[in-house]
Amino acid sequence: MDLSSFLTSLGTSFVIFVILVLIYSWLSSKPGNAVVYYPNRILKGMDPNENRSASCSPFAWIREAMSSSEENVIAMSGVDTAVYFVFLSTVLGILIICGLVLLPSLLPVAATDNRLEQLGANNFTILDKLTMGNVTEKSPRLWAFLFAVYCVSFVTYYLLWRAYNHISNLRTNASMSPELKPEQYAILVRDIPSVEGQSRKEQVDSYFKMIYPETFYRSMIVTDNKEVDKLFKELEGYKKKLLRAEAVYAEGKRTGKSEVRPTHKTGCLGILGKKVDSIEFYTEKISELVPKLEAEQKTTLRDKQLGAAIVFFTSRIAAASAAQSLHAQLVDKWTVIEAPEPRQIIWTNLKKTFYERQVRQYGVYILVALAILFYMIPIGIISAFTTLKNLMKLMPFLKPILKQSAIRTVLEAYLPQIALIVFLALLPKLLLFLSKAEGIPSMSHAIRAASGKYFYFTVLNVFIGFTLAGTLYRTLKDIQNDPNSIVGVLASSIPGSAAFFLTFVALKFFVGYGLELTRIVPLIIFHIKRKYSCKTEAEVKEAWFPGDLKYGTRIPGDLLIATIVLCYSVIAPVIIPFGVAYFGLGWLILRNQALKVYVPSYESYGRMWPHIAVRIIAALVLYQVTMLGYFTLKKFYYTPFLVVLPIISLLFAFFCHTKFYRSFADTALEIVVREPKEIPNLEQIFKSFIPPSLNAEKNDDDQFEDALSQASRSTSFA
Amino acid sequence: MDLSSFLTSLGTSFVIFVILVLIYSWLSSKPGNAVVYYPNRILKGMDPNENRSASCSPFAWIREAMSSSEENVIAMSGVDTAVYFVFLSTVLGILIICGLVLLPSLLPVAATDNRLEQLGANNFTILDKLTMGNVTEKSPRLWAFLFAVYCVSFVTYYLLWRAYNHISNLRTNASMSPELKPEQYAILVRDIPSVEGQSRKEQVDSYFKMIYPETFYRSMIVTDNKEVDKLFKELEGYKKKLLRAEAVYAEGKRTGKSEVRPTHKTGCLGILGKKVDSIEFYTEKISELVPKLEAEQKTTLRDKQLGAAIVFFTSRIAAASAAQSLHAQLVDKWTVIEAPEPRQIIWTNLKKTFYERQVRQYGVYILVALAILFYMIPIGIISAFTTLKNLMKLMPFLKPILKQSAIRTVLEAYLPQIALIVFLALLPKLLLFLSKAEGIPSMSHAIRAASGKYFYFTVLNVFIGFTLAGTLYRTLKDIQNDPNSIVGVLASSIPGSAAFFLTFVALKFFVGYGLELTRIVPLIIFHIKRKYSCKTEAEVKEAWFPGDLKYGTRIPGDLLIATIVLCYSVIAPVIIPFGVAYFGLGWLILRNQALKVYVPSYESYGRMWPHIAVRIIAALVLYQVTMLGYFTLKKFYYTPFLVVLPIISLLFAFFCHTKFYRSFADTALEIVVREPKEIPNLEQIFKSFIPPSLNAEKNDDDQFEDALSQASRSTSFA
């Protein structure tokens, strides 16, 4: 890639970004769009424009985001989001410090050397001059680069350590907060052995009463809710349709346009079949379904009890201690873990047994490993195809179009990056599906697992795969002629790939974050839906409901950028400002979105962090090994000095794991020992775990041995 | 090694064994030796000859050992010893079943082939004819051997699985037994953070009272006992010497030989210095030391409190649950584990902090790894030197002696084995020292750690090292001429090493177990001591006190034999009867010793077993990989069928670990939920943990803030 196409790419991206920011300022000030740009505030019952009045500048949102504190973020979007910002600001901090040290020191050292001229290369740009590729082999100038590698590593250790400490405290504070958290009073028990002549309910109650005679409150047996869920969904669907039909009828009467009661056909897709009065039809259906659902609820609670339960305790400390203890001598029976939040329980996974979970987990690991290995092939093909020269060579019929210089420049600038981004967009859903198939009981855990898979996928395939495949393809001929030249070829092409990644990073932050800020797609969808399909309030709300931040897929993307920037930080230090811009803009724009737009759908109190930290260290090790290889290729005598760095990184990772990990996995007793001031309503806590399809209003005392009923029949069902 | 030297070795060993057994029958029937042959019974207050009267046959001990049940063993020698016998009988079972299947099927298949003749070898023996080395390459006969590999593997899985289940139940029953176990009521707390202005005692009490307001009983702070231990030891020494002097004086008066009061010199070794009256001198010393010790005890308890404590609970379930829970949010503070038995606590290790333990542990690992790698060198030299030919080549001056055929045969038979055994005898002490240096808090754990190191050491060095080094040395020249021949050389020499290992095994069981049974060395030492140095009862008892079974060093030795026999089981099935004899004789003789001789010095309720199981599987994997290599060298087309076996073994190991390990590491709550019938005397439990040097009789209420004093001052110090 030459300098002009690089600058074109950069320029275009920047222009697009500025336009998008201006569009945002304009659109977000329109009251009609408030539900798209301020849904989180609206849902929390706040005035969307509350800080708006103070200043009318179109960039007020920037000031707002900058001045928001961590407490604001936690209040508006939870600890997980706050942890995500700690991650962003940690990487940002690393890059800023490294930039301040490396740019003024390394760029002059590289620029004043003249290896590229010596080699007689004639197609190098000013960018190439500024890389380590321009430094002569064995030159003492390499000392500067070697020190830079150390500098980057130690800055990373230091900031990562601070972040770990900080997040550990965040987590503690969150656990100690006076707010009532139902999951702190419960544990999830799985692998309950089946006993003849005893219902699961009796079994669980007697077992836990025996072990915790004083602190056991009651239990809720997990049931097979397939049937009842189906009925519940059907009923909810009819209720919605009834509301909609009534709204249409009322609207027609109000505007006087039509007094006709709405009708529809009962057959396929509402096109075929008998024409019926919608309101009557749905009302009838609902009155048919309600008793059916109630009967099914009773059957489910009584007859469909599965080998898992949620057990409630009267105090947080009893639950925390129970979740950490081995209960049965057979380790594969009565396994306990802390209960997940009610809203994030994956009910269908709870019944999976110990060995089923093990088998599924390793099955999925093997599948993902195979996928990572064999996706290399399409990635390699993409990277080979998407250079214009190759495209012209392989598809000569495109030549006339591609010869036009405008199209050519734009295509050359964007084609490979777009191909890559589109390709990567397909993955996360598949990985989340696979992670759920492992039998993980909570959504946040499944997302963590998927996020990890996604990270290794992107780093291995995109970064390593792309660099190597691109390099190999370009130089396949040279290598065929002289197999020993491969080492030299690699050394000379690593700096060459820097420009590709520079454009990749720039595209991601300018266009990606621009689109994130303006929410063009949700905006358009919302307006279309509101205009043409939404009839009831609930439907309108559904149309603008923003969903959550999806940090599970953001983090691997960010980590990929961090990996790329780290790996090139010393080879081509000009990449550092791009990294700073990516994480800086990301921090700013997502802060805005977290405060105003996204609504967290669960809370795991930062359990993602240890995984992020491990992956940052993995990126660092990759960087250190790359540098070791690159210095070797530069024939620098003192390269062995670098061997110690990956070892330090691994020790650091081990140290962090030993010091912090258990406090993320288990709840420390000293934290939950202080009970909240107000006495918790245990019945309320229990009820919050009942899945909606079982939570009928009429659910009361008359169900004897069912899965919900109390251990002691003396207390009434609140 | 030729057949005659092999048979000589075998014959001699057998004769020695028979003689030793006869000696045992004779010596053990003499009443004066009862304390050497029945100390365990005597210490338990039983009649040494209780089953003796029934039969006077010199082999009655065999019937006794055979008819003893597992309960007998547990009663006489504890669960750890019972687990050791389960290990022996499991390996024995594996070898018997394999022998029954493999010997009749493989020996004819091997013997009727004629590869050795084809190769024109002329120095092969009948032993060589019976090995897989005699089977022609690519021959369909190899199918029999391949099935044999599968057979051995699956027999091992099955019996190992049964043993795991059995031991898991043994452990459970032991934990549930009504016998009071002080350690079940306590946890060991380490890494207590230091706080200004609060004594450790106050700190620990307030911390655990906060978390366990109802079940916390009291705490005992670990103190720096160096000074007090020194004084205590000095005092005990003088007390002993005083008793001895008094006994000498009384003896002199009684026999009328001398009425002179015993005297000694106070200077170096009792040779120099002033001559004093012993009884007066020691009495004076003791009366000087007692107040000193008491003062030091007070100082220690008050001022030398360290950052560790033993915390006592009022119930077993509270202690078991507390030992498994994370207490502090900072994982490296307030770390808890189950308390070890009082008698096996390594007090000096308790004060070591979290990071010190980590650093020490990995430091020791590295040291041991280095030792394993570099001991290869001496082992290689031993193995190369200790063949007679080499000895003669390298030390020509020995030639005249070695030419004599009698000496020659004996030396050839024993030299390498003796060299090896002597060499291995030096190791265990070093490894135990290193394991203690890791900062492990209990003796049984340190012994487990040392045992693991010893196993890897012996297997890697003795078995692999010896085979390879021996082979390499013998064929160094061939390899120099033709480097590719190394593979063929290895293939042909693996069966050749079989004879060496056969002799090694036979020597170990005949001579080793013969000596074990007769206890010649302890017998002689006891009689010498009794005759010349013991004056008091206590000294006599010390002279015959047998110590424990030392399974920590026996197990690696047994595992080495098991590894050797497994690895050669298919290549040279004649080794199997030797293995059976080793484990059968071992079981028999050690059963006798466990019931009558050894006194266990601690009890870990079978925590050694998971480690044994892992190492048996490691031996199995080594065997499977060896066979894979050996079949490859035999150019058998269907060798890849064997690839699946190591994978199955690893899965099996993983499965066992997942299913059982946690129940060995943690106490399951359902086991300890039933409290013992009699209400435990908590004061007694507490007192049993007080180290002897601090356990003064006068230790009572008047010590206020000391490390032992109670949390509540209301109860008196019993």
Side-chain angles (χ1 to χ4, degrees), chain A residues 168 207 324 326 329 670, chain B residues 168 207 324 326 329 332 670:
Chain A
S168 180
Y207 190 84
Q324 295 175 51
L326 179 71
Q329 182 243 338
E670 67 171 21
Chain B
S168 179
Y207 190 83
Q324 296 175 49
L326 178 72
Q329 182 244 338
D332 52 355
E670 65 172 24

Side-chain angles (χ1 to χ4, degrees), chain B residues 188-199:
Chain B
L188 173 61
V189 183
R190 288 182 288 182
D191 309 303
I192 300 168
S194 54
V195 171
E196 280 290 312
Q198 229 188 349
S199 82

Side-chain angles (χ1 to χ4, degrees), chain B residues 217-267:
Chain B
Y217 174 59
R218 62 191 284 186
S219 68
M220 178 194 288
I221 306 292
V222 174
T223 47
D224 180 3
N225 297 346
K226 214 174 140 189
E227 281 302 309
V228 80
D229 275 348
K230 211 178 109 193
L231 285 174
F232 181 74
K233 217 172 157 187
E234 216 176 322
L235 180 63
E236 289 296 298
Y238 284 132
K239 278 186 184 164
K240 230 187 219 169
K241 282 183 184 156
L242 177 63
L243 279 178
R244 188 187 163 89
E246 282 172 350
V248 169
Y249 183 52
E251 176 79 7
K253 272 210 283 194
R254 193 175 55 79
T255 58
K257 272 190 192 152
S258 94
E259 293 263 338
V260 185
R261 290 171 69 88
T263 57
H264 72 278
K265 290 179 176 170
T266 56

Side-chain angles (χ1 to χ4, degrees), chain A residues 12 58 62 72 76 128 138 161 246 318 494 566 603 672:
Chain A
T12 333
I62 295 180
N72 296 145
M76 292 302 291
D128 295 330
K138 301 178 193 174
W161 173 253
E246 283 173 349
I494 286 178
L566 270 184
E603 175 68 272
V672 288

Side-chain angles (χ1 to χ4, degrees), chain A residues 481-600:
Chain A
N481 297 339
D482 177 13
N484 288 325
S485 73
I486 188 160
V487 171
V489 164
L490 265 178
S492 60
S493 60
I494 286 178
S497 305
F500 164 79
F501 284 112
L502 276 183
T503 338
F504 178 71
V505 174
L507 186 71
K508 266 209 111 170
F509 67 72
F510 278 143
V511 182
Y513 282 130
L515 287 172
E516 172 65 56
L517 182 68
T518 48
R519 291 175 61 73
I520 294 268
V521 180
L523 183 76
I524 294 171
I525 291 175
F526 166 66
H527 280 294
I528 291 174
K529 275 199 180 166
R530 193 178 55 172
K531 187 131 195 169
Y532 299 106
S533 80
C534 298
K535 300 295 177 191
T536 62
E537 266 305 300
E539 284 175 331
V540 174
K541 190 178 162 187
E542 206 173 79
W544 57 256
F545 191 80
D548 70 4
L549 188 63
K550 292 195 178 53
Y551 65 81
T553 45
R554 281 181 202 279
I555 289 171
D558 297 340
L559 280 170
L560 174 64
I561 304 289
T563 311
I564 292 170
V565 176
L566 270 184
C567 284
Y568 282 102
S569 61
V570 168
I571 296 177
V574 280
I575 205 170
I576 295 178
F578 288 80
V580 169
Y582 176 84
F583 285 96
L585 270 181
W587 188 92
L588 188 71
I589 286 170
L590 290 174
R591 194 88 166 188
N592 182 61
Q593 306 298 82
L595 291 171
K596 295 175 185 165
V597 181
Y598 296 117
V599 181

Side-chain angles (χ1 to χ4, degrees), chain A residues 168 172 207 210 212 321 324-327 329 331-332 355 362 654-655 658-659 662-663 668-670 673, chain B residues 168 172 207 210 212 321 324-327 329 331-332 355 358 362 654-655 659 662-663 668-670 673:
Chain A
S168 180
T172 310
Y207 190 84
M210 173 184 78
Y212 304 98
S321 171
Q324 295 175 51
S325 298
L326 179 71
H327 281 73
Q329 182 243 338
V331 176
D332 52 355
Y355 297 107
Y362 287 95
F654 175 76
F655 178 70
T658 323
K659 184 166 167 70
R662 223 190 136 187
S663 73
L669 298 185
E670 67 171 21
V673 70
Chain B
S168 179
T172 310
Y207 190 83
M210 173 183 78
Y212 304 98
S321 170
Q324 296 175 49
S325 298
L326 178 72
H327 281 74
Q329 182 244 338
V331 176
D332 52 355
Y355 297 107
Q358 297 281 340
Y362 288 94
F654 176 74
F655 177 70
K659 183 166 169 67
R662 225 193 132 185
S663 73
L669 298 187
E670 65 172 24
V673 71

Side-chain angles (χ1 to χ4, degrees), chain B residues 69-214:
Chain B
S69 68
E70 194 162 53
E71 285 78 48
N72 296 144
V73 176
I74 293 175
M76 291 301 293
S77 193
V79 177
D80 283 342
T81 311
V83 166
Y84 178 60
F85 284 108
V86 175
F87 158 61
L88 288 181
S89 56
T90 302
V91 179
L92 185 63
I94 294 170
L95 294 182
I96 289 177
I97 298 179
C98 293
L100 290 178
V101 177
L102 265 53
L103 287 176
S105 58
L106 295 189
L107 290 187
V109 176
T112 54
D113 208 334
N114 56 355
R115 179 154 175 274
L116 291 176
E117 286 95 339
Q118 279 176 347
L119 285 177
N122 50 7
N123 55 351
F124 61 88
T125 63
I126 177 73
L127 278 181
D128 295 331
K129 280 285 287 184
L130 293 173
T131 66
M132 211 174 135
N134 194 35
V135 178
T136 319
E137 282 172 4
K138 299 181 192 172
S139 157
R141 285 164 190 259
L142 289 168
W143 274 109
F145 292 88
L146 195 137
F147 283 120
V149 180
Y150 266 86
C151 165
V152 173
S153 304
F154 280 92
V155 168
T156 310
Y157 299 145
Y158 175 67
L159 289 179
L160 212 54
W161 174 252
R162 275 182 45 145
Y164 228 132
N165 257 316
H166 179 66
I167 289 169
S168 179
N169 289 332
L170 271 188
R171 191 175 152 80
T172 310
N173 292 337
S175 305
M176 285 202 289
S177 84
E179 211 180 313
L180 184 76
K181 299 179 194 75
E183 67 276 13
Q184 288 191 323
Y185 289 85
I187 62 172
L188 173 61
V189 183
R190 288 182 288 182
D191 309 303
I192 300 168
S194 54
V195 171
E196 280 290 312
Q198 229 188 349
S199 82
R200 299 276 190 181
K201 177 74 187 161
E202 289 160 7
Q203 213 185 327
V204 171
D205 284 352
S206 66
Y207 190 83
F208 282 94
K209 261 193 188 165
M210 173 183 78
I211 297 182
Y212 304 98
E214 277 146 33

